[in-house]
């Protein structure tokens, strides 16, 4: 039977709070990361945010001389380059936070989500165990 240990509960809670604070800190760092891409000799420039969402598309006047197909290809190429750039920067932030390369071929965003889930799962499991111990004590009249 499990015995309720208030000190263990405090340690679990403190550890979970520390881990969640670090996850939030990383999310804040990642939220401001942007990537940039360009095509058509710099006439098409795109900026993407950490989520991969495009934030800005700039077409220089000369870009408007391109036919529609070439312009569309240039915008697509610049957008892909911006998204690749931001993904690499997010991965670098995560690798730096972890002290090395990212495990298992995960991207930085995927790893952050996975780690947050792991912290939450561990906390919930520990809390369930402590609650069972409290229930056991209550039933036993202690």
């Amino acid at each position: 039977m499990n015995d309720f240990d208030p000190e263990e509960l405090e340690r679990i809670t403190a550890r979970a709070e520390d881990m969640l604070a670090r996850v939030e800190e990383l999310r804040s760092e990642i939220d401001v990361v942007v990537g940039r891409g360009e095509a058509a000799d710099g006439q098409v420039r795109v900026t993407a945010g950490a989520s991969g969402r495009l934030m800005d598309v700039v077409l220089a006047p000369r870009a408007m001389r391109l036919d529609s197909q070439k312009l569309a290809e240039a915008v697509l190429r610049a957008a892909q380059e911006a998204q690749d750039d931001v993904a690499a920067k997010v991965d670098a932030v995560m690798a730096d936070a972890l002290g090395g390369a990212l495990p298992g071929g995960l991207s930085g965003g995927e790893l952050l989500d996975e780690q947050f889930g792991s912290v939450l799962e561990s906390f919930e499991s520990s809390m369930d165990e402590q609650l069972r111990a409290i229930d056991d004590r209550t039933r036993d009249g202690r």
Side-chain angles (χ1 to χ4, degrees), residues 3-92:
D3 286 330
F4 175 67
D5 181 358
E7 291 176 8
E8 179 65 14
L9 182 59
E10 286 180 30
R11 281 192 295 276
I12 292 167
T13 302
R15 186 169 153 247
E17 287 173 350
D18 289 345
M19 293 172 90
L20 289 173
R22 182 63 185 139
V23 167
E24 286 303 315
E25 184 180 312
L26 282 171
R27 280 192 191 273
S28 295
E29 286 179 41
I30 288 171
D31 283 345
V32 298
V33 174
V34 295
R36 291 179 174 70
E38 62 179 55
D41 297 320
Q43 297 305 306
V44 176
R45 293 186 311 272
V46 174
T47 303
S51 68
R53 183 178 296 232
L54 301 185
M55 298 170 60
D56 192 31
V57 176
V58 177
L59 303 174
R62 263 188 43 217
M64 301 309 292
R65 296 183 194 154
L66 298 171
D67 67 57
S68 61
Q69 181 65 34
K70 296 259 190 241
L71 181 57
E73 289 171 1
V75 170
L76 183 59
R77 191 170 30 257
Q80 290 169 339
E81 192 176 299
Q83 290 167 331
D84 290 346
D85 184 43
V86 76
K89 289 177 179 177
V90 167
D91 288 351

